[in-house]
Amino acid sequence: MKALILGGGGREHALLYSLKKSRVITEAIAAPGNGGISEMCPLFPLNILDAKEVTDLARSQKIDLVVIGPEAPLVAGVADALRHQGILVYGPGKEGAKLEGSKAFAKNFMKRQNIPTAPFDVCSDLDEAKKALVKRTPPYVIKADGLAAGKGAFVVSEMKEAEKIASELLVERRLGEAGQTIVVEDFLKGYELTAMAVTDGKSYRMLPLSQDHKRAFDSDEGPNTGGMGAYSPLPQVSESLINKIEREIIAPTVEGLKAEGRDFIGTIYAGIMVHDGDPYVLEYNVRFGDPEAQVVLSICDVDWGDLFTACCSGTLEEFGEIKAKTTAVGVVMASGGYPGSYEKGYPIEGLERLKDREDILVFHSGTKKAEGKFFTDGGRVLTVVGLADDPRQAREKAYHAVSSITFRDAHYRRDIAWQAFV
């Protein structure tokens, strides 16, 4: 089979790496890709939100399987257009992608399906927002309804500031259409984790739990980012909690989508807050997380080409339980200033020393390759993954590898996986 990977980040590099190891994938291409991906397959620059461009490429390249990495093309309905052409697609259509494309839809879906989540109000004007805020105690949680590139969630301690944010979103349209409706919800205190499952719309298979690190600086301080590192599996999470997550969240999500007639082939991602020992859904994604994909894809004892094909053909029930064969810790190396403004175009040194290591994987996010050299080309530049039998060894390997890579103003957290050792 010939595969096309849509996207150009670390997640897509990890997807390509995993598919290249599959016995059923004989050839692969990527669009638009990045510097690291360019070393593994041909790249095709195109607008991945344009369904016609994507389907034209898939048809001209005789693609059998398309794996869609980011959320935006899924929400835009690119998977629907490809399926209309008879091409296998790992990723939900537009109706299923509403779980991520609309926070209001997701919250109401959870309410209909009795899936645990924080109490909430959906507000479309400032008066509604003020009434929803008055009902709550600080800290106040406000979320833009639509896709906002990780900039649509706010947690503030003062009512005045909460009302200001609501006004900026609903009146001043600070985030455009993404913020024309907002969700105001109760604050839940606890610790976060990520539960992902693959599904063919009927059956599902859980993947090992992972934990992302959203804040830019050590000790979970600083602004939110797209993710500064992740690890998997989670040794501190009990089997009973894993079973509860599956029973109360993943299973009813798959069943609810099916009952509502929303065809869903792909990854269900539940961002979970464990509050007083119980799991609550903070958000859904409809694709692999980034950087969670870089660690989870690397440790599962499965042929990913086989698995994605089974999801697309409705035969996932033939697969057994998916288990972790090792432990992974991934550290994101970012450009200085990220997630704010940053410079790019700096040369990256030291990658060649890690190239042939089986216990170290380096996935490119924001890089470009020119004249045989790699240069920084984004906020998150690399995810460096260490593999070992336990998280402590994996972490040591990851940070040792990070120390051998250099580029100007490189920034990374030094406490990834800290909760595994508490």
Side-chain angles (χ1 to χ4, degrees):
M1 296 179 70
K2 187 175 182 180
L4 162 62
I5 293 89
L6 280 189
R11 166 185 47 223
E12 289 74 39
H13 195 181
L15 283 165
L16 176 63
Y17 169 81
S18 301
L19 287 174
K20 293 279 276 188
K21 293 165 64 177
S22 169
R23 66 180 181 83
V24 299
I25 303 300
T26 55
E27 192 177 351
I29 62 172
N34 60 39
I37 293 174
S38 72
E39 287 205 313
M40 298 181 71
C41 74
L43 304 187
F44 292 80
L46 54 74
N47 178 8
I48 63 173
L49 302 183
D50 188 315
K52 186 176 185 305
E53 280 193 46
V54 176
T55 53
D56 284 351
L57 174 65
R59 291 176 67 186
S60 67
Q61 291 294 313
K62 296 180 171 54
I63 297 298
D64 302 296
L65 170 69
V66 178
V67 178
I68 301 179
E71 64 275 19
L74 295 168
V75 172
V78 170
D80 297 306
L82 287 161
R83 287 195 182 98
H84 187 68
Q85 297 292 327
I87 299 167
L88 296 180
V89 187
Y90 184 81
K94 194 171 187 176
E95 281 299 303
K98 283 183 179 179
L99 270 185
E100 182 168 1
S102 169
K103 296 287 193 298
F105 172 84
K107 295 291 281 191
N108 283 316
F109 171 84
M110 286 184 271
K111 187 176 181 179
R112 291 193 300 273
Q113 303 301 330
N114 296 311
I115 295 168
T117 189
F120 68 98
D121 288 289
V122 176
C123 310
S124 55
D125 61 50
L126 190 56
D127 285 340
E128 290 178 350
K130 287 180 177 179
K131 290 175 183 176
L133 289 166
V134 166
K135 288 163 56 176
R136 291 173 166 82
T137 57
Y140 304 100
V141 181
I142 300 170
K143 296 178 179 178
D145 176 54
L147 297 181
K151 300 176 182 177
F154 307 87
V155 180
V156 297
S157 56
E158 300 293 332
M159 173 66 79
K160 194 170 183 180
E161 188 178 0
E163 290 182 347
K164 180 174 180 290
I165 289 169
S167 178
E168 288 175 346
L169 294 173
L170 294 167
V171 179
E172 300 171 29
R173 297 297 171 91
R174 168 177 164 185
L175 294 177
E177 288 186 11
Q180 64 185 6
T181 299
I182 65 172
V183 172
V184 177
E185 65 182 38
D186 290 4
F187 176 80
L188 295 177
K189 188 175 182 180
Y191 67 92
E192 293 185 43
L193 58 82
T194 299
M196 295 189 289
V198 299
T199 181
D200 61 2
K202 302 172 296 181
S203 302
Y204 68 88
R205 293 293 180 266
M206 291 278 291
L207 302 179
L209 298 183
S210 57
Q211 193 169 53
D212 188 11
H213 298 64
K214 290 291 186 188
R215 299 284 186 168
F217 306 127
D218 290 359
S219 304
D220 291 330
E221 295 183 352
N224 271 326
T225 70
M228 293 299 296
Y231 66 104
S232 180
L234 308 183
Q236 71 274 31
V237 176
S238 67
E239 198 67 33
S240 62
L241 180 55
I242 294 173
N243 292 337
K244 195 167 193 176
I245 290 168
E246 180 173 358
R247 183 175 66 251
E248 297 185 2
I249 294 173
I250 300 300
T253 298
V254 174
E255 288 300 318
L257 289 165
K258 182 181 175 183
E260 294 186 8
R262 301 180 188 278
D263 292 338
F264 196 107
I265 295 168
T267 303
I268 290 173
Y269 169 121
I272 291 171
M273 177 68 76
V274 180
H275 171 72
D276 290 338
D278 291 319
Y280 295 81
V281 178
L282 294 176
E283 65 172 352
Y284 282 114
N285 291 340
V286 295
R287 36 73 189 185
F288 286 100
D290 183 345
E292 294 98 331
Q294 290 91 305
V295 292
V296 172
L297 288 165
S298 302
I299 64 172
C300 290
D301 190 14
V302 70
D303 182 311
W304 287 102
D306 263 344
L307 186 64
F308 291 161
T309 303
C311 289
C312 295
S313 57
T315 59
L316 183 59
E317 64 183 357
E318 297 174 7
F319 269 76
E321 181 183 358
I322 299 173
K323 296 181 179 180
K325 59 186 176 182
T326 187
T327 295
V329 174
V331 179
V332 170
M333 299 186 72
S335 296
Y338 173 80
S341 60
Y342 54 85
E343 300 291 330
K344 53 188 183 179
Y346 297 131
I348 304 170
E349 305 291 345
L351 292 173
E352 64 284 347
R353 292 195 290 270
L354 304 170
K355 199 166 185 179
D356 298 321
R357 293 275 299 272
E358 292 188 358
D359 57 344
I360 299 293
L361 303 174
V362 180
F363 297 115
H364 293 232
S365 297
T367 70
K368 66 178 178 180
K369 190 175 184 183
E371 298 178 356
K373 291 187 175 183
F374 291 106
F375 297 86
T376 64
D377 195 40
R380 292 188 293 174
V381 178
L382 304 166
T383 304
V384 182
V385 177
L387 302 173
D389 291 334
D390 64 70
R392 196 174 299 278
Q393 290 180 13
R395 186 188 195 196
E396 288 174 0
K397 288 185 178 184
Y399 277 110
H400 187 265
V402 164
S403 69
S404 70
I405 301 171
T406 58
F407 55 87
R408 184 174 173 181
D409 298 331
H411 164 67
Y412 57 92
R413 281 183 56 161
R414 289 165 170 79
D415 64 346
I416 301 302
W418 68 269
Q419 291 189 59
F421 311 112
V422 174

